[in-house]
Amino acid sequence: MSDTAGGTRRRGRPSRTESAGTRDRILSAAREEFSERGYEKTSVRGIAKAAGVDPALVHHYFGTKEQVFEAAIEVAFAPALAAPETIGDGPLDTVGERLTRFFFGLWENPATRTPLLAIVRSALNNETAAAVFRRLIAAQLLRRIAAQLDLPDAELRAELAAAQLVGCAVLRYVIRAEPLASADPERIIARLAPVVQGHLTGP
Amino acid sequence: MSDTAGGTRRRGRPSRTESAGTRDRILSAAREEFSERGYEKTSVRGIAKAAGVDPALVHHYFGTKEQVFEAAIEVAFAPALAAPETIGDGPLDTVGERLTRFFFGLWENPATRTPLLAIVRSALNNETAAAVFRRLIAAQLLRRIAAQLDLPDAELRAELAAAQLVGCAVLRYVIRAEPLASADPERIIARLAPVVQGHLTGP
DNA sequence: GTCTATAAGACGATAGAC
DNA sequence: GTCTATCGTCTTATAGAC
């Protein structure tokens, strides 16, 4: 019953025999490291040092480095995948604002920003992260929004809207380019919401 | 008279005693490797193998790995920095189209796309590449365009326009997300030019 | 559950032969 | 100008003691 390795995967089973919060400390440290340095520059040893544990423990709990990464970004899925319901409900002529606000809500919240940073910082060089990125952006957000538009270019429209938001996230949160990085979120949203709306339902 | 590199740096000096195109073969291979894998995943040994030369030769010609990277992306500067002149000249109400067309001209041309890919793929994890990225995007393109707008939010406007273009480049050329990756450039430009124009001169 | 010890290898960089 | 040989450091990952 408490077989930690049973089922489809052997990870993600915090059986009651493990020490207090060691697993969570590793996971938290891993998120921090991956979000700051990206996949390649992050080392298992670095994660272990940040968590104050032995490097062998990281492998003990999660397996390979890639499995550590998967576990670290897993928490980004729940909120992001819950999005389409929230955004889809409501009048179509304000969907741009709902989508933009939802997007910045994720990035302005430190708890969700960290795994997102880890994904974005790694997505350009790591195929696993790239796949996650596509799934997060394209499959979920866009297709369900595009499905509500009965225009021929619906998917392209949705993707260009996503390009605007993603580009803004890269410049503001990753590269930290000024003055965008220090601008008030509301000012950005005020400028971006109509643009996103225009992409989706404009001429 | 034939000093191509001048006196400030010791690199970039293809003295007539070196073998035919060895230096260029290394440089070309380096660009390819950096553009495909990013800075961290690219190794000096990998570059040497792709160029068909000994790894020691890479160091011999360029010094450290970082100096190889700088030499590899150097060619991206000339065309990109020549941009503001071209874009700045002309009526302000079509600057969006000129900027968008110039941007896609760079990315659709394989010769300029490769070093740009190397920069973008590395900019999120490598501080050198990030600095180049900022210089390319912010300092040159934006400030000179923003200088022509006499609006209070000029710089923020220009940066959000850049965010739209950069986001599009990331999704189309780096992540290769569909349908954007396979879309006809003219269709994308037709949708993006008005948006960029709106960012710069809109309400 | 936690740690020591170590395997097995890739990496950047250099010295020096030819 | 080109290559061989190598140093020293880092990495992921595992086996096994406690």
Side-chain angles (χ1 to χ4, degrees), chain A residues 74-201:
Chain A
E74 199 176 31
V75 292
F77 278 98
L81 297 193
E85 338 282 303
T86 319
I87 297 168
D89 293 348
L92 199 61
D93 63 336
T94 58
V95 66
E97 168 136 9
R98 288 200 301 282
L99 177 56
T100 306
R101 285 201 178 278
F102 170 77
F103 185 83
F104 276 89
L106 289 180
W107 279 95
E108 288 296 323
N109 177 359
T112 45
R113 185 200 305 147
T114 309
L116 285 179
L117 264 177
I119 294 172
V120 172
R121 274 227 158 88
S122 310
L124 306 195
N125 303 309
N126 182 273
E127 193 45 44
T128 302
V132 169
F133 191 83
R134 288 196 207 94
R135 184 174 160 203
L136 231 51
I137 295 289
Q140 282 295 328
L141 268 180
L142 299 190
R143 289 181 58 187
R144 299 183 60 167
I145 289 176
Q148 301 197 349
L149 316 172
D150 54 349
L151 299 162
D153 292 341
E155 287 193 345
L156 183 60
R157 285 167 172 269
E159 200 156 9
L160 289 175
Q164 171 74 86
L165 294 173
V166 169
C168 186
V170 167
L171 262 49
R172 176 178 168 90
Y173 301 103
V174 185
I175 304 287
R176 293 192 166 94
E178 296 296 348
L180 189 54
S182 304
D184 178 41
E186 283 300 327
R187 273 182 67 210
I188 305 174
I189 292 175
R191 294 215 158 268
L192 250 42
V195 172
V196 172
Q197 181 74 37
H199 272 307
L200 296 177
T201 63

Side-chain angles (χ1 to χ4, degrees), chain B residues 156-192:
Chain B
L156 184 61
R157 284 166 173 271
E159 200 156 10
L160 290 175
Q164 171 74 87
L165 293 173
V166 168
C168 187
V170 167
L171 261 49
R172 177 178 167 90
Y173 301 103
V174 186
I175 303 287
R176 294 191 225 279
E178 297 295 350
L180 189 54
S182 305
D184 178 43
E186 283 300 328
R187 273 182 68 210
I188 304 174
I189 292 174
R191 293 215 158 271
L192 250 43

Side-chain angles (χ1 to χ4, degrees), chain A residues 12-44:
Chain A
R13 215 33 194 287
S15 91
R16 79 182 65 82
T17 50
E18 5 185 278
S19 131
T22 303
R23 206 192 115 104
D24 287 341
R25 294 227 320 284
I26 295 173
L27 211 47
S28 174
R31 256 190 296 271
E32 204 67 38
E33 294 283 308
F34 282 126
S35 73
E36 283 178 6
R37 291 185 245 287
Y39 184 85
E40 308 299 334
K41 273 182 110 163
T42 296
S43 72
V44 176

Side-chain angles (χ1 to χ4, degrees), chain B residues 3 13 27 41 50 89:
Chain B
D3 58 336
R13 215 29 197 289
L27 210 47
K41 273 181 109 163
D89 293 347

